[in-house]
């Protein structure tokens, strides 16, 4: 990808390049919709097109993305011949409304780019031809239908199964080549790993079973040994995707019982520094990456959980994919004395390489799934006794902006909300690294002005927020940024209830 950020002040558009090796071919032609859309055909106005792209290591997807300055629209301005983008039906002039399970129409171009980068070797784009989109928007009157997303628990699942005395805990039924369903043993390994009853089998260890015969599938499962990772879709998910015309794509998956997970490390610089060294080198699989070494005992890096040999995935929630070593070092230094790093150990690195998915897609899934009470999105906490000097003169908001949030795999938004008892003041007390809120741009200390168009500032704010947080996504927040003065006094440690 070639960044044109330096030309933003001199040009009227931003163009970025995605390349692809044509040897890879089509990733999943049956499950990808790439037919021509005639604007005179009313059926083409009912749903968007979905393009499932894939790439080889070190290459990109084969298209150029353009954003017109001053307009929130992401337009494909060029598609490279013979690439994944062309094979999957992406065309010049297409508007990108969704990346994987995220609506990006109102997001900044750089956020969209980061989403594509963080998706790793596979990405699902939701697109419309511009002329078709204009007509569809006028006819439907509901933007949610223009870029549908799958809700929590209604997504494909990536399930890791470890054999027990009963084997993997499932048998396979099939109708014809490539169509397989799993019959679960009650209480067996597959059921415990999160495979839903009646699930359709899509992939085994990152390999599509679309063209497998039953014998080939049996051999693939036998070769897996004592553990296997399956991409599956339950009947409800399969039916929902059929209705939407959406492919059962791996980048949409939730992680269940995964053996390895990405880790978020939060480091505060000490007198002797952070206590680690970042090096660019080839990993065990031959891929060039950024690795963490020389983790000093007792210093902030070790205390945060860093291990020698960890590979760096993201800095402050932003993927480092495609960045040079110097650029990554600069990003870490720009964080100052507090740095957030997302990493994987060698075992996790190998696992996600095998399934051909980015660990960053499963960052929210690494949180323990809680009870419905634990995942309530509107649980709030009041700060009963803020310091008198601060309650009399709260930090002044220094600007406002709008953020659109969609639930993560656990059904929540990834932030904690607190309020001051002595006055109408609701603010963000914590943002979960890599969560939906962080991706939307929420920051610790942001003050809430409006929720879904309703002003905040009355006695019923808490109850209203509880109701709105349970409404259909997206959750639209109008926020004001607080000045740093007095922020720590307004957000004492441990205050608030997290939006999971």
């Amino acid at each position: 990808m070639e960044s044109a950020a330096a030309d933003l002040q001199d040009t009227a558009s931003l163009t970025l390049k995605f390349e692809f090796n044509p040897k890879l071919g089509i990733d999943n032609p049956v499950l990808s919709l790439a037919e021509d859309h005639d604007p005179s055909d009313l059926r083409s106005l009912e749903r968007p097109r979905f393009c499932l792209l894939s790439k080889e290591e070190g290459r990109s997807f084969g298209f150029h993305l353009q954003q017109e300055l001053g307009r929130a629209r992401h337009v494909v301005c060029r598609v490279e011949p013979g690439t994944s983008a062309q094979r999957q039906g992406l065309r010049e002039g297409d508007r990108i409304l969704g990346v994987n399970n995220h609506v990006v129409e109102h997001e900044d171009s750089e956020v969209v780019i980061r989403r594509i980068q963080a998706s790793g070797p596979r990405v699902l784009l939701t697109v419309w031809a511009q002329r078709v989109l204009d007509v569809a928007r006028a006819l439907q009157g509901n933007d949610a239908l223009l870029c549908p997303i799958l809700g929590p628990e209604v997504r494909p699942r990536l399930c890791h199964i470890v054999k027990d005395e009963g084997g993997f805990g499932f048998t396979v039924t099939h109708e014809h080549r490539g169509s397989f369903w799993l019959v679960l043993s009650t209480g067996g390994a597959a059921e415990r790993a999160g495979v839903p009853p009646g699930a359709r089998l899509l992939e085994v260890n990152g390999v599509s079973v679309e063209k497998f015969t039953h014998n080939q599938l049996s051999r693939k499962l036998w070769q897996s040994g004592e553990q296997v990772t399956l991409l599956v879709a339950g009947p409800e998910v399969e039916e929902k995707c059929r209705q939407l015309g959406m492919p059962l794509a791996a980048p949409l998956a939730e992680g269940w019982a995964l053996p390895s997970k990405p880790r978020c490390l939060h480091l505060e610089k000490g007198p002797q520094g952070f206590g680690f060294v970042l090096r660019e080198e080839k990993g065990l699989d031959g891929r060039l990456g950024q690795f963490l070494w020389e983790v000093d005992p007792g210093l902030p890096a070790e205390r945060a959980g860093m291990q020698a040999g960890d590979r760096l995935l993201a800095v402050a929630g932003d993927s480092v994919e495609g960045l040079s070593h110097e650029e990554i070092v600069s990003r870490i230094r720009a964080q100052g004395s507090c740095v957030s790093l997302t990493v994987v150990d060698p075992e996790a690195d190998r696992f996600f390489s095998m399934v051909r998915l980015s660990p960053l897609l499963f960052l929210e899934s690494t949180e323990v799934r809680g009870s419905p009470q634990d995942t309530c999105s509107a649980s709030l906490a009041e700060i009963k006794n803020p310091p008198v000097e601060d309650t009399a003169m709260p930090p002044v908001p220094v600007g406002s902006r709008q953020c659109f949030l969609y639930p993560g795999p656990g059904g929540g938004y990834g932030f904690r909300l607190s309020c001051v008892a002595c006055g109408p003041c609701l603010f963000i007390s914590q943002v979960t690294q890599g969560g939906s809120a962080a991706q939307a741009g929420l920051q610790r200390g942001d003050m809430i002005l409006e929720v879904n168009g309703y002003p905040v500032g009355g006695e019923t704010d808490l109850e209203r927020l509880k109701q709105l947080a349970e409404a259909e996504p997206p959750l639209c927040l109008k926020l004001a940024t607080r000045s740093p003065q007095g922020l720590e006094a307004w957000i004492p440690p441990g205050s608030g209830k997290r939006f999971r």
Side-chain angles (χ1 to χ4, degrees):
M1 182 180 296
E2 303 168 356
S3 175
D7 300 328
L8 285 178
Q9 295 179 348
D10 302 321
T11 64
S13 65
L14 175 66
T15 302
L16 297 118
K17 180 179 180 183
F18 297 81
E19 298 176 350
F20 175 73
N21 189 333
K23 293 180 181 179
L24 189 60
I26 299 176
D27 181 68
N28 198 336
V30 173
L31 295 179
S32 295
L33 304 181
E35 70 276 7
D36 287 337
H37 286 253
D38 181 352
S40 65
D41 182 1
L42 291 180
R43 290 175 300 177
S44 71
L45 305 178
E46 295 176 357
R47 59 181 61 166
R49 298 180 354 254
F50 298 94
C51 299
L52 180 58
L53 311 185
S54 59
K55 64 177 180 178
E56 289 183 338
E57 178 63 28
R59 304 305 297 269
S60 296
F61 292 112
F63 68 94
H64 297 249
L65 179 63
Q66 179 183 46
Q67 184 190 36
E68 299 177 15
L69 292 182
R71 304 185 69 178
R73 44 194 273 175
H74 313 289
V75 182
V76 176
C77 61
R78 184 181 175 188
V79 177
E80 300 286 350
T83 63
S84 178
Q86 184 192 52
R87 292 174 184 270
Q88 293 300 300
L90 199 63
R91 307 186 187 94
E92 294 181 11
D94 279 344
R95 285 269 306 276
I96 296 178
L97 268 63
V99 175
N100 296 331
N101 206 40
H102 298 278
V103 178
V104 301
E105 183 179 16
H106 302 290
E107 291 185 343
D108 183 77
S109 179
E110 301 233 348
V111 176
V112 177
I113 294 165
R114 289 199 298 267
R115 288 195 187 280
I116 295 173
Q117 289 175 328
S119 189
R122 293 190 275 181
V123 66
L124 180 68
L125 303 179
T126 305
V127 304
W128 286 85
Q130 179 60 61
R131 64 188 186 281
V132 178
L133 177 60
D134 293 339
V135 178
R137 179 164 273 143
L139 290 178
Q140 294 186 7
N142 184 353
D143 282 0
L145 300 177
L146 300 177
C147 187
I149 62 171
L150 300 179
E153 311 299 329
V154 192
R155 293 164 59 182
R157 295 183 182 182
L158 190 69
C159 302
H160 186 75
I161 309 171
V162 179
K163 271 186 180 178
D164 59 17
E165 61 277 3
F168 285 131
F170 65 82
T171 56
V172 178
T173 63
H174 71 290
E175 294 180 354
H176 49 78
R177 180 189 291 262
S179 297
F180 302 101
W181 286 267
L182 304 183
V183 179
L184 305 185
S185 303
T186 303
E191 186 177 74
R192 296 196 304 272
V195 177
R200 179 174 179 174
L201 179 61
L202 305 172
E203 293 184 4
V204 177
N205 293 338
V207 178
S208 172
V209 301
E210 177 191 6
K211 296 182 179 180
F212 279 16
T213 64
H214 189 271
N215 287 339
Q216 289 173 325
L217 175 60
S218 299
R219 189 179 306 115
K220 183 69 175 177
L221 292 171
W222 178 78
Q223 291 172 343
S224 297
E226 296 300 309
Q227 49 190 347
V228 67
T229 303
L230 305 181
L231 179 67
V232 298
E236 292 182 3
V237 178
E238 193 173 2
E239 175 60 20
K240 182 68 173 179
C241 287
R242 187 195 65 79
Q243 293 173 359
L244 297 174
M246 181 182 291
L248 295 166
L252 299 175
E254 296 178 286
W256 285 70
L258 299 185
S260 304
K261 304 172 182 178
R263 309 187 326 271
C264 292
L265 311 180
H266 304 285
L267 289 69
E268 292 189 19
K269 192 173 184 178
Q272 296 176 285
F274 291 114
F276 73 92
V277 172
L278 179 69
R279 292 179 184 157
E280 183 177 64
E281 59 188 38
K282 288 186 177 181
L284 298 175
D285 57 359
R287 294 187 301 153
L288 196 64
Q290 306 294 324
F291 292 86
L292 307 170
W293 294 103
E294 299 181 27
V295 181
D296 295 327
L299 293 189
E302 186 193 51
R303 293 200 301 269
M306 185 181 294
Q307 302 170 15
D310 281 344
R311 184 164 74 90
L312 180 64
L313 300 176
V315 177
D318 293 337
S319 172
V320 299
E321 180 73 22
L323 299 181
S324 69
H325 180 74
E326 292 73 20
E327 289 174 316
I328 296 170
V329 170
S330 296
R331 289 198 177 193
I332 293 175
R333 288 176 174 168
Q335 299 301 306
S337 60
C338 295
V339 175
S340 294
L341 306 177
T342 305
V343 304
V344 286
D345 58 31
E347 179 185 355
D349 208 8
R350 285 190 292 267
F351 172 77
F352 287 105
S353 265
M354 176 190 71
V355 298
R356 298 191 302 127
L357 292 169
S358 168
L360 295 175
L361 293 176
F362 301 92
L363 195 57
E364 290 180 298
S365 300
T366 61
E367 296 185 5
V368 177
R369 297 176 184 272
S371 65
Q373 290 79 10
D374 293 333
T375 59
C376 175
S377 298
S379 295
L380 306 172
E382 294 185 0
I383 300 175
K384 298 292 186 179
N385 299 302
V388 175
E389 61 271 22
D390 289 321
T391 57
M393 185 71 67
V396 180
V398 294
S400 64
R401 66 190 189 281
Q402 233 178 11
C403 294
F404 294 85
L405 283 71
Y406 291 83
Y413 295 96
F415 67 92
R416 290 182 180 178
L417 182 63
S418 296
C419 66
V420 177
C422 62
C425 180
L426 292 165
F427 58 91
I428 307 299
S429 60
Q430 184 174 335
V431 179
T432 301
Q433 181 70 27
S436 299
Q439 294 171 1
L442 267 71
Q443 299 177 6
R444 183 171 177 263
D446 282 346
M447 190 168 150
I448 297 181
L449 304 179
E450 293 182 3
V451 179
N452 287 358
Y454 291 92
V456 170
E459 296 180 355
T460 61
D461 286 344
L462 297 181
E463 188 61 35
R464 177 182 295 166
L465 282 172
K466 290 177 183 179
Q467 296 172 359
L468 290 175
E470 296 170 358
E472 289 295 317
L475 181 66
C476 177
L477 300 180
K478 183 175 181 181
L479 304 169
T481 304
R482 285 181 176 276
S483 61
Q485 292 78 14
L487 182 61
E488 292 301 322
W490 280 71
I491 311 179
S495 66
K497 171 68 177 178
R498 180 170 58 190
F499 278 49
R500 293 181 63 87

